[in-house]
């Protein structure tokens, strides 16, 4: 995608202009970002998804058993017939992994790194429904899919912002409105992290939320150090061979801190280890149980492709790649594979192509490393054969 081509999705801005002026800085309202948009999913179909065990869903009822009552799915078929006429919201997570037409919406956001995109959550709200004034710690695009929702925008927030006393929901106790917009189908609102917002349904409405992965500093430190620790021998310890006499024996001297920092830095500053961890962490699937692999022999794969079979990415799989000096690393659903630099175009194909078949795989099927990689991805479940 050309960074200097104006996009209807961004209200005529180019990706470069949007990233420079709005991304993680300020909101952007785009009227008819998706002209004449028709929701690929009906409210009944969304409710049907919330009955499934493998789907993450929630109901928020503003005036329930307690204020802002939260119920977690999966729900029973009669759950919705017992709800009040207004002031409630159904939220269904990662709908893109279950409905291909919803997944196709993400193609419009390829001006952003695909490994940063988390999922498409869809909410259905009865009139007056919402989840209360709140803020997110990640970027989000809010596409109106059906009906009308009024969005109120407030102040920038942080961990010190006062919240209501609620066991499950982070609802702001003090919402300071600065702007207000009514969105119709096809309209879209971009919100940067930590900006307070409050959406209220004017009528029966559906909203598509495209959210992004943004690990916290605490997640990075905990998970990266756990990852690095796997490769460290037990004998690598704090040492002070240059220890000098003098001073108080109970005092920890500044030079001890420097030795400790040196012990940490030699690992924390290893860019290869950091990239290997980061790629695996950012491609971890939300629902790993949906990756069901198939153990094939090389001859079976070749025969299937020769007969016209196509390979596609499992909807739950996440793929990305990176350069590590003269080598490449493919990250597939939380696992990393170090590969030769000559496979660059194959990795690009794996991550970008909508389908893999005998024609576009032809240059690679005679290379043992490429063939082995395809078999590993099929066995892992990141690649699967397309339905007829």
């Amino acid at each position: 995608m050309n960074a200097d081509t104006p996009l209807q999705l961004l209200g005529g801005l180019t990706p470069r202009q949007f990233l420079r002026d709005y991304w993680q800085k300020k909101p952007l309202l785009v009227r008819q970002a998706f002209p004449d948009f028709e929701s690929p999913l009906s409210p009944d179909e969304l409710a049907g998804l919330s009955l499934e065990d493998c789907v993450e869903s929630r109901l928020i009822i503003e005036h329930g058993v307690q204020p802002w009552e939260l119920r977690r799915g999966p729900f029973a078929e009669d759950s919705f017939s017992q709800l009040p006429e207004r002031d409630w919201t159904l939220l269904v997570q990662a709908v893109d992994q279950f409905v291909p037409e919803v997944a196709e919406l993400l193609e419009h956001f390829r001006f952003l790194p695909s490994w940063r995109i988390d999922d498409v959550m869809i909410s259905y709200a009865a009139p007056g429904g919402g989840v209360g004034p709140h803020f997110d710690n990640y970027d989000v695009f809010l596409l109106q899919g059906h009906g009308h929702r009024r969005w109120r925008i407030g102040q920038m927030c942080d961990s010190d912002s006062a919240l209501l006393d609620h066991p499950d929901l982070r609802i702001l106790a003090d919402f300071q409105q600065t702007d207000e917009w009514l969105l119709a189908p096809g309209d879209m609102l971009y919100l940067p992290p930590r900006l307070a917002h409050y959406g209220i349904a004017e009528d029966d409405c559906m909203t598509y939320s495209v959210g992004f992965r943004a690990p916290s500093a605490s997640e990075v430190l905990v998970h990266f150090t756990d990852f690095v620790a796997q490769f460290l021998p037990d004998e690598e310890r704090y040492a002070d061979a240059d220890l000098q006499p003098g001073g108080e024996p109970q005092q920890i001297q500044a030079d001890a801190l420097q030795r400790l920092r040196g012990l940490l830095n030699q690992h924390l500053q290893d860019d290869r280890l950091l990239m290997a961890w980061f790629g695996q962490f950012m491609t971890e699937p939300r629902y790993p149980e949906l990756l069901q692999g198939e153990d094939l022999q090389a001859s079976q794969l070749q025969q299937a492709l020769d007969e016209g079979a196509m390979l596609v990415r499992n909807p739950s799989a996440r793929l990305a790649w990176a350069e590590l000096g003269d080598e490449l690393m493919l990250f597939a659903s939380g696992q990393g594979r170090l590969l030769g630099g000559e496979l660059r175009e194959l990795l690009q194909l794996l991550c970008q192509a909508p389908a893999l078949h005998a024609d576009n795989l032809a240059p690679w099927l005679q290379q043992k490393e490429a063939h082995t990689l395809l078999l590993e991805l099929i066995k892992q479940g990141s690649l699967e054969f397309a339905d007829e």
Side-chain angles (χ1 to χ4, degrees):
M1 182 174 291
N2 191 322
D4 296 306
T5 299
L7 299 178
Q8 174 69 33
L9 178 79
L10 299 175
L13 296 175
T14 67
R16 191 183 307 279
Q17 290 170 327
F18 171 76
L19 293 173
R20 181 192 65 204
D21 299 333
Y22 292 91
W23 181 250
Q24 301 203 329
K25 299 179 183 70
K26 60 184 180 180
L28 175 66
L29 172 66
V30 181
R31 297 294 185 189
Q32 292 304 289
F34 289 77
D36 303 316
F37 182 76
E38 293 186 12
S39 175
L41 206 64
S42 71
D44 286 343
E45 290 170 328
L46 184 69
L49 277 177
S50 73
L51 309 182
E52 302 293 334
D53 290 336
C54 59
V55 178
E56 184 181 350
S57 58
R58 294 166 291 162
L59 264 173
I60 297 176
I61 307 168
E62 185 171 354
H63 309 291
V65 175
Q66 71 225 23
W68 301 107
E69 179 189 356
L70 173 65
R71 301 178 187 174
R72 298 186 184 277
F75 299 105
E77 289 191 23
D78 62 351
S79 298
F80 301 102
S81 63
Q82 301 171 13
L83 292 171
E85 292 185 0
R86 54 176 295 119
D87 301 338
W88 59 268
T89 300
L90 169 68
L91 304 106
V92 181
Q93 210 74 44
V95 180
D96 53 298
Q97 298 192 24
F98 304 98
V99 182
E101 293 81 4
V102 173
E104 289 173 6
L105 291 174
L106 293 176
E107 294 302 317
H108 296 274
F109 296 89
R110 294 308 180 196
F111 59 91
L112 296 164
S114 59
W115 51 265
R116 278 278 266 126
I117 296 175
D118 191 8
D119 72 340
V120 181
M121 180 187 75
I122 302 181
S123 65
Y124 169 82
V131 300
H134 65 285
F135 69 97
D136 302 309
N137 284 311
Y138 53 84
D139 305 86
V140 63
F141 290 89
L142 300 163
L143 169 64
Q144 192 61 26
H146 169 76
H148 301 79
R149 185 182 290 273
R150 186 173 300 278
W151 285 103
R152 296 171 178 168
I153 307 303
Q155 73 276 24
M156 295 300 293
C157 302
D158 56 30
S159 56
D160 293 327
S161 299
L163 303 176
L164 296 183
D165 184 14
H166 195 287
D168 301 300
L169 301 177
R170 295 173 53 82
I171 299 176
L172 289 166
D174 179 26
F175 179 70
Q176 303 166 20
Q177 181 173 326
T178 58
D179 290 289
E180 181 177 308
W181 297 297
L182 180 66
L183 271 65
D187 294 343
M188 188 175 72
L189 177 62
Y190 162 74
L191 297 177
R194 300 190 295 109
L195 182 65
H197 51 284
Y198 186 11
I200 304 173
E202 293 278 303
D203 46 24
D204 292 343
C205 80
M206 293 176 67
T207 301
Y208 289 65
S209 301
V210 180
F212 290 76
R213 292 192 170 190
S216 66
S218 63
E219 286 179 299
V220 171
L221 287 171
V222 169
H223 290 275
F224 179 56
T225 53
D226 284 348
F227 175 79
V228 171
Q230 301 175 74
F231 307 102
L232 304 184
D234 188 57
E235 61 269 19
E236 188 170 341
R237 294 170 178 260
Y238 173 84
D240 49 11
D242 57 348
L243 185 65
Q244 299 295 317
E248 295 289 333
Q250 295 83 10
Q251 182 182 0
I252 299 177
Q253 300 287 345
D255 58 350
L257 190 64
Q258 294 304 314
R259 286 190 287 270
L260 181 62
R261 190 183 303 280
L263 177 65
L264 294 173
N265 284 347
Q266 69 184 71
H267 302 296
L268 296 181
Q269 294 181 2
D270 186 326
D271 285 347
R272 286 176 66 89
L273 273 179
L274 184 60
M275 178 64 84
W277 167 79
F278 188 60
Q280 293 180 53
F281 184 79
M282 293 300 286
T283 59
E284 286 183 352
R286 177 183 287 271
Y287 304 121
E289 65 275 10
L290 298 181
L291 294 172
Q292 299 295 325
E294 184 177 356
D295 201 354
L296 291 182
Q297 300 297 317
S299 58
Q300 293 174 303
L301 173 60
Q302 186 67 61
Q303 180 180 351
L305 293 172
D306 289 343
E307 293 175 355
M310 292 193 298
L311 290 168
V312 295
R313 288 183 293 278
N314 184 304
S316 295
R318 299 176 63 87
L319 272 67
W321 65 279
E323 293 181 337
L324 292 176
D326 295 332
E327 296 176 300
L328 303 173
M329 181 163 276
L330 175 67
F331 305 107
S333 304
Q335 297 181 21
R337 293 166 174 78
L338 198 62
L339 300 162
E342 70 278 3
L343 296 183
R344 174 189 295 269
E345 292 184 13
L346 174 60
L347 299 195
Q348 293 172 330
L349 184 70
L350 290 172
C351 294
Q352 296 177 10
L356 305 169
H357 44 77
D359 290 340
N360 59 12
L361 286 175
W364 309 105
L365 292 176
Q366 304 308 313
Q367 296 191 26
K368 183 177 180 180
E369 189 177 19
H371 214 144
T372 299
L373 176 61
L374 290 170
L375 291 170
E376 288 178 350
L377 293 175
I378 294 169
K379 184 175 181 179
Q380 183 201 31
S382 286
L383 291 181
E384 60 186 12
F385 287 105
D387 294 333
E388 294 295 335

